[in-house]
Amino acid sequence: MLSELFSLFYQFADVFAFLVLASAGLAIVFGMMGVINMAHGEFIMCGAYVTVGLVNLGVPLPVAQIVAAITAGLIGILIEILVVRRFYKRPLDSLLATWGLSLIVTQGMLIVVGSSIRGIGTPEGSFAVGDYTFSTYRMILFACALAVLVGIYVLFMRTRFGIIARATMQNAGMAQALGARTGRIYAVSFGIGAGLAGLCGALYAPTMTLIPTMGATFIVESFVTVVVGGANVLLGTAPAAMLLALVRMSLNASYGQIIGQIGMLFAVIAIIRILPEGFSSILARRGR
Amino acid sequence: MSAFKTILVAASSIALLACAATGVQAADPLKIGLMEDISGDLAFMGMPKLHGSQLAVEEINKGGGILGRQVELIHLDPQGDNARYQEFTRRLLNRDKVDVLIGGITSASREAVRPIVNRTKTPYFYTNQYEGGVCDANMISMGAVPEQQFSTLIPWMVEKFGKKVYVVAADYNFGQISAEWNRKILKDLGGTVVGEEFIPLGVSQFAQTIQNIQKAKPDWILTINVGAAQDSFFEQAAAAKLNLPMGSSIKIMLGFEHKRFAPPALNNMHVTANWFEEIDTPEANAFKKRWHAKFPDEIYINDMGYNAYHAIYMYKMLVEQAKSTKLDDLRKVIATGKACIDAAEGQVCIDPKSQHTSHRMRLGSGGPKHEISVDKDYGTIQPYWLSEIGCDLTKKNDKDQYTPTHLPKK
């Protein structure tokens, strides 16, 4: 009985971690700037490739993962300055620009690095509960997902940067008039979004096939979580991930992966029919 | 006219004459239309297919071509998109007017291409191992089929590991029909399928599947999951210490997972195939040497790349025997039952009734350090199933794909 209960928790934690880590970066960029970053998956791939490259050079895995996330973040800032910045007043064009970027990056990686690189293997460690054995690393992923949520909360609610960033998000013109350097805020926010995407790739790199298009396997989950969550990262992403993880986990467990995926997408359709602005709209309203 | 202009005119007329002269000497090149994915999700598998085709064409052209005609390879990259497969098929057939069409990775892409080829008189070579059953006069299948792969693998696995099997399969025609084959063969052996899971393409997270397997307690797992995303299963199963023997018709020799994942993810994986790069015979070694000389960065010469190479030699043999490139003439050669070539695995022949190829089958196993051992050599196995159920292309063109539950009407 205990093993069955733990197994359910483990499955929930696994899906929840995947949804949170895959969508956090996308949610910040969308929530802060209204930009739908179609190159989100490529920042994930970047994090994974940097991690694997560094581990192959002999860097310990956790260090490699942190460096990979920072690298993706810095590339994100660069991309914001070079490309995204020019499209803040044209959201549809920014969609096209980032999509183009994504195509260039995947094809470029295919040409430069090749069609696949060798994986590094999940860190050793498993534990048994009853009849089942579990990978310890998946629990670490769950802990990282929680840490990311707490980190976002602290950053945006408890720091000076967070206050200015939220002010910029609510009314960029007014924030600028009060002396906030909104351009820099946007660049840093985009960098944080890209860095979180890179972190996602870095964390999942040991557990997955490494190919240039690997970002695509995260895309559906990250977009639906952001759509269900709405524009507010803090009030949206976490409850959205929790609900979708519950739906998917229970359907996966009883009916298999196909029904799990279909069910999750149906849940998304139902939710955006009732709450077109996502979860954050009701939660934000109640907060006021 | 200035002196300069005169010289220019004279020079160009000589050049023109020269061109015309060579035009008379050499016939038009023979055109091979090739469709292989070298970008997108299956790029890592498709790249060796392109390389194998390029190597064969280069060797044949150096040796004087086919019937004295040079071979021109027209390759298009459908990027794993079935709609693009159809578009490119039409383009190669109608605009480029190719003499033969080769390619396609997934069974879904093959089934997208086949109806279009069927309206023409162009031969089509499918070069992958697959779930079998296509009875179509336009198509020649170069890969291994279930009676060569599953009828060897499943009894061996049952004898060695036990009768309870869990199936993890990709959710499209290949996975579904392969699972059907497993059910049929297992039933004859008195085994049971303790679980069957079909995974949508693109799914990369398998925690639930791994637990379902642990709950079902099978003796071994049949893994016919497809694509880069689904391959993540192996890494995640190893991390969760699933530690069960695995059997497959597509792993190692086709997706070279043992080269892409860190050991021991592919430990205890067993595959029956007509080709592994690890086969150590003089013919196989000579073939590998030629390949790596041209493509030194190739990670692994996979089964479908190997078949793609030999498909072009098979086509060369057919055209030279028939002294024609017409499908009907090629099929007359096939009908003699002597359409054979010496491949790196050994001699392979096209069966006249089904137009599928006989293969020398071997069983390979992955070890804890991903070393591959060839554990059993089955010798040459004929593709017998289609003719047994009544497909006879020498008499009737069914243009259908049969499965154990979809048999021809008597």
Side-chain angles (χ1 to χ4, degrees):
Chain A
M1 189 58 211
L2 178 74
S3 67
E4 292 297 330
L5 272 180
F6 180 79
S7 142
L8 283 181
F9 164 73
Y10 177 90
Q11 295 304 336
F12 169 77
D14 196 60
V15 182
F16 178 78
F18 189 80
L19 292 176
V20 166
L21 291 170
S23 63
L26 189 74
I28 285 182
V29 172
F30 176 62
M32 290 290 301
M33 286 158 267
V35 170
I36 299 165
N37 179 17
M38 295 295 282
H40 180 65
E42 281 53 59
F43 286 109
I44 294 177
M45 183 264 291
C46 166
Y49 268 59
V50 171
T51 305
V52 172
L54 288 175
V55 168
N56 286 339
L57 290 175
V59 179
L61 180 65
V63 180
Q65 286 171 324
I66 292 165
V67 175
I70 294 170
T71 311
L74 293 176
I75 295 173
I77 291 176
L78 201 69
I79 297 289
E80 198 277 343
I81 294 168
L82 292 177
V83 183
V84 180
R85 177 163 290 184
R86 292 157 217 284
F87 295 101
Y88 283 136
K89 298 223 165 67
R90 297 147 62 192
L92 282 178
D93 294 342
S94 74
L95 199 124
L96 199 62
T98 50
W99 187 47
L101 189 72
S102 130
L103 293 178
I104 293 169
V105 171
T106 39
Q107 194 62 27
M109 286 300 279
L110 182 71
I111 293 166
V112 177
V113 187
S115 50
S116 79
I117 60 170
R118 190 185 169 125
I120 48 179
T122 313
E124 285 292 316
S126 61
F127 57 96
V129 178
D131 281 348
Y132 301 124
T133 52
F134 301 96
S135 163
T136 317
Y137 189 73
R138 314 288 303 183
M139 287 285 97
I140 296 174
L141 291 178
F142 179 58
C144 288
L146 294 179
V148 162
L149 288 175
V150 172
I152 292 174
Y153 177 81
V154 171
L155 180 70
F156 284 95
M157 301 304 280
R158 293 278 182 267
T159 66
R160 194 179 155 71
F161 167 81
I163 293 168
I164 300 172
R166 281 185 294 138
T168 310
M169 188 171 132
Q170 282 187 358
N171 191 332
M174 186 57 82
Q176 202 167 15
L178 292 171
R181 284 193 254 187
T182 50
R184 189 181 289 181
I185 297 289
Y186 281 145
V188 172
S189 305
F190 195 87
I192 292 172
L196 286 173
L199 180 70
C200 169
L203 289 170
Y204 280 94
T207 72
M208 283 180 63
T209 313
L210 298 159
I211 58 165
T213 50
M214 67 179 287
T217 54
F218 294 87
I219 283 296
V220 172
E221 277 80 358
S222 58
F223 272 86
V224 297
T225 313
V226 171
V227 165
V228 171
N232 190 318
V233 192
L234 298 171
L235 296 173
T237 309
M242 212 175 285
L243 181 85
L244 293 179
L246 265 178
V247 170
R248 185 162 196 174
M249 179 271 295
S250 44
L251 289 175
N252 266 356
S254 2
Y255 305 105
Q257 291 243 29
I258 302 174
I259 300 295
Q261 199 173 36
I262 295 172
M264 184 181 78
L265 295 176
F266 264 111
V268 171
I269 294 171
I271 292 165
I272 55 176
R273 183 69 191 81
I274 302 162
L275 300 169
E277 308 273 309
F279 273 155
S280 43
S281 61
I282 39 165
L283 292 172
R285 216 174 293 144
R286 188 162 292 175
R288 254 172 229 157
Chain B
M1 196 183 270
S2 70
F4 177 70
K5 262 191 181 168
T6 321
I7 293 168
L8 204 68
V9 168
S12 44
S13 10
I14 291 167
L16 268 174
L17 275 173
C19 285
T22 49
V24 170
Q25 270 173 7
D28 293 341
L30 200 150
K31 285 186 194 168
I32 297 180
L34 181 71
M35 295 187 292
E36 303 293 4
D37 302 333
I38 56 160
S39 54
D41 231 19
L42 300 171
F44 68 94
M45 291 192 214
M47 204 63 102
K49 294 191 80 177
L50 174 63
H51 288 166
S53 313
Q54 287 171 334
L55 179 63
V57 166
E58 186 187 283
E59 287 175 6
I60 289 171
N61 279 341
K62 266 188 200 155
I66 298 177
L67 289 180
R69 291 166 70 182
Q70 288 287 296
V71 179
E72 184 187 345
L73 188 68
I74 305 173
H75 169 248
L76 298 176
D77 174 13
Q79 303 164 21
D81 179 343
N82 294 335
R84 220 167 263 145
Y85 264 101
Q86 297 193 311
E87 182 194 328
F88 288 170
T89 303
R90 291 195 193 96
R91 181 166 142 190
L92 288 167
L93 293 176
N94 300 335
R95 206 185 76 185
D96 298 314
K97 306 215 182 312
V98 295
D99 294 289
V100 57
L101 191 70
I102 306 182
I105 292 190
T106 64
S107 290
S109 68
R110 180 199 66 238
E111 291 306 297
V113 166
R114 215 156 52 78
I116 302 171
V117 184
N118 272 339
R119 284 182 230 126
T120 70
K121 281 282 184 184
T122 309
Y124 166 54
F125 282 78
Y126 180 59
T127 52
N128 280 31
Q129 63 66 236
Y130 81 110
E131 71 282 358
V134 173
C135 180
D136 185 330
N138 280 77
M139 189 179 107
I140 294 164
S141 162
M142 285 298 290
V145 283
E147 60 266 37
Q148 293 163 325
Q149 292 193 290
F150 287 134
S151 304
T152 48
L153 175 78
I154 294 172
W156 192 86
M157 294 294 288
V158 165
E159 190 185 320
K160 186 141 187 198
F161 301 111
K163 289 185 170 177
K164 287 190 288 178
V165 187
Y166 197 99
V167 180
V168 178
D171 188 25
Y172 73 106
N173 52 359
F174 167 72
Q176 293 279 359
I177 297 173
S178 296
E180 204 181 312
W181 271 100
N182 174 58
R183 259 173 260 147
K184 173 183 147 78
I185 295 171
L186 213 56
K187 198 176 152 201
D188 295 344
L189 294 166
T192 44
V193 178
V194 293
E196 227 174 36
E197 215 166 307
F198 294 98
I199 315 285
L201 287 172
V203 163
S204 65
Q205 303 301 312
F206 289 94
Q208 185 70 54
T209 305
I210 291 164
Q211 251 169 64
N212 294 347
I213 295 172
Q214 291 185 335
K215 197 171 188 175
K217 295 191 178 62
D219 296 318
W220 57 281
I221 315 169
L222 183 68
T223 56
I224 35 182
N225 45 332
V226 173
Q230 293 194 357
D231 279 341
S232 305
F233 169 79
F234 299 109
E235 183 56 51
Q236 292 167 21
K241 294 278 179 295
L242 191 60
N243 275 341
L244 281 169
M246 298 179 279
S248 182
S249 60
I250 48 173
K251 298 303 163 193
I252 293 180
M253 94 300 186
L254 197 146
F256 46 102
E257 290 77 5
H258 61 311
K259 300 282 180 192
R260 295 191 289 119
F261 288 101
L266 269 286
N267 182 26
N268 222 347
M269 168 65 83
H270 309 272
V271 192
T272 42
N274 57 318
W275 172 257
F276 299 88
E277 193 180 321
E278 288 82 2
I279 292 177
D280 185 18
T281 63
E283 297 80 18
N285 290 335
F287 168 73
K288 285 185 267 182
K289 206 173 148 192
R290 290 202 304 279
W291 188 300
H292 286 299
K294 185 165 165 69
F295 302 105
D297 293 333
E298 196 78 80
I299 304 170
Y300 190 78
I301 304 171
N302 68 355
D303 178 76
M304 50 169 106
Y306 164 91
N307 288 335
Y309 172 90
H310 287 96
I312 294 183
Y313 274 97
M314 188 62 96
Y315 178 67
K316 175 177 189 279
M317 181 277 303
L318 290 175
V319 170
E320 285 176 347
Q321 297 261 320
K323 298 194 175 53
S324 154
T325 55
K326 289 209 177 77
L327 177 64
D328 289 340
D329 297 332
L330 302 185
R331 293 192 59 234
K332 273 178 208 149
V333 178
I334 294 173
T336 63
K338 286 178 188 141
C340 301
I341 58 166
D342 286 317
E345 74 199 61
Q347 193 188 52
V348 298
C349 303
I350 303 177
D351 165 51
K353 285 185 176 170
S354 64
Q355 297 188 174
H356 283 53
T357 312
S358 69
H359 281 296
R360 174 132 182 202
M361 301 302 292
R362 293 173 167 95
L363 187 139
S365 307
K369 293 205 161 48
H370 285 186
E371 70 279 14
I372 306 299
S373 55
V374 175
D375 290 354
K376 191 166 177 184
D377 187 339
Y378 291 89
T380 299
I381 299 183
Q382 299 299 327
Y384 55 80
W385 184 72
L386 270 171
S387 54
E388 261 180 25
I389 60 161
C391 162
D392 188 351
L393 289 168
T394 58
K395 297 204 175 76
K396 185 161 80 61
N397 183 5
D398 299 25
K399 299 184 183 177
D400 202 353
Q401 180 176 14
Y402 299 117
T403 73
T405 55
H406 170 61
L407 298 169
K409 289 186 196 84
K410 288 280 155 64

